[in-house]
Amino acid sequence: MKQLVEGLKEQVAAHRQPNYDAPAVFINRWSPRAFAPRPIDEETLFAVLEAARFAPSANNLQPWRFIIARTDVDRDLFCQFINEGNVTWCQKAPVLLLLASQTTTEDGRNNRMHAFDAGAAWASLALAAEMKGLAAHAMGGFDRDRARELLALPDGFEPQVVIALGYQGDAADLPPALQEREKPNGRRPLAETVFEGRFGRAVDGLV
Ligand SMILES: Cc1cc2nc3c(=O)[nH]c(=O)nc-3n(C[C@H](O)[C@H](O)[C@H](O)COP(=O)(O)O)c2cc1C
């Protein structure tokens, strides 16, 4: 059968069947755990961060901040607050990043949108990574208090996710339990996600 979306990677096409013609980069992006022992050159790393920089945010507050770890010393420090289950695979990624968001506005008021906006920055980074031939994998599994302490995160900033960034590696190098899971996963259909006029009302013809 002809693929509806052109430009899907072979591994992705085997697991993801889009029903509508979304740009391929959105379907091709997924979160592998196997990373190749290949460094990311600085221009590429900065380009991916530049994509995150231009994410939209409420009142253009840009609440996101990134702390990058790309030396052995810095990556080891990150591994002290990342959950063990995540460290097993993410320690091979050449770059780890903490994405934190500022919870207040310039004049000290609560910014209700900080986490939402940090999510937009993460999505931009992940999609840019995909377009640059990299893979990004977000992790919520880490000790936030310890991250705050070890990375000297100031008050008023909240750690959101740690991101593993690198080139996709060989699944065979993962611990056996993770090898099985090393494939793109599926999604709930749009028909169960998008409603017409009010919550729960089906959109005619949407699959
Ligand atoms: C906020 C957030 C937290 C996540 N935390 C973890 C995590 O701690 N460990 C992990 O292996 N994957 C984690 N993931 C990856 C998700 O499981 C993954 O994005 C989801 O299953 C969809 O798969 P895909 O990204 O491959 O499309 C996280 C993703 C997000 C966005």
Side-chain angles (χ1 to χ4, degrees):
M1 197 178 77
K2 191 177 174 293
Q3 269 290 343
L4 183 65
V5 176
E6 275 182 43
L8 287 193
K9 293 175 174 171
E10 207 178 302
Q11 190 189 16
V12 169
H15 297 284
R16 293 182 164 175
Q17 288 86 38
N19 296 321
Y20 296 97
D21 188 17
V25 62
F26 291 87
I27 322 288
N28 278 334
R29 183 220 58 81
W30 66 286
S31 307
R33 292 185 174 84
F35 286 96
R38 175 181 167 191
I40 304 175
D41 71 61
E42 196 162 84
E43 281 306 304
T44 306
L45 174 62
F46 292 170
V48 163
L49 286 161
E50 185 77 335
R53 174 182 168 223
F54 280 93
S57 61
N59 294 112
N60 199 20
L61 283 175
Q62 309 159 60
W64 48 77
R65 300 290 189 281
F66 293 90
I67 300 173
I68 62 173
R70 50 186 174 154
T71 63
D72 285 348
V73 171
D74 286 350
R75 285 160 58 255
D76 284 350
L77 190 69
F78 269 53
C79 289
Q80 288 179 37
F81 61 78
I82 297 171
N83 289 4
E84 214 180 298
N86 283 328
V87 169
T88 54
W89 56 268
C90 80
Q91 64 188 347
K92 298 230 175 110
V95 179
L96 297 169
L97 306 94
L98 180 89
L99 167 53
S101 58
Q102 189 166 21
T103 61
T104 53
T105 61
E106 298 281 281
D107 53 7
R109 281 178 299 133
N110 190 31
N111 175 12
R112 287 200 312 144
M113 305 311 289
H114 70 91
F116 182 86
D117 291 343
W122 142 249
S124 295
L125 181 146
L127 290 163
E130 170 62 35
M131 294 174 92
K132 293 274 181 193
L134 290 161
H137 192 140
M139 290 168 268
F142 68 99
D143 184 328
R144 281 149 182 78
D145 292 338
R146 194 115 174 85
R148 178 182 290 289
E149 183 189 322
L150 289 175
L151 304 186
L153 203 64
D155 288 346
F157 286 85
E158 200 171 292
Q160 295 294 341
V161 281
V162 177
I163 300 164
L165 187 67
Y167 293 93
Q168 192 180 344
D170 192 344
D173 296 337
L174 286 170
L178 292 179
Q179 288 183 23
E180 267 174 50
R181 296 168 62 191
E182 191 68 350
K183 54 183 178 232
N185 51 19
R187 289 297 187 270
R188 182 175 60 239
L190 271 188
E192 295 169 30
T193 305
V194 180
F195 307 123
E196 186 90 45
R198 69 185 62 164
F199 193 90
R201 188 191 279 162
V203 179
D204 237 11
L206 188 69
V207 293

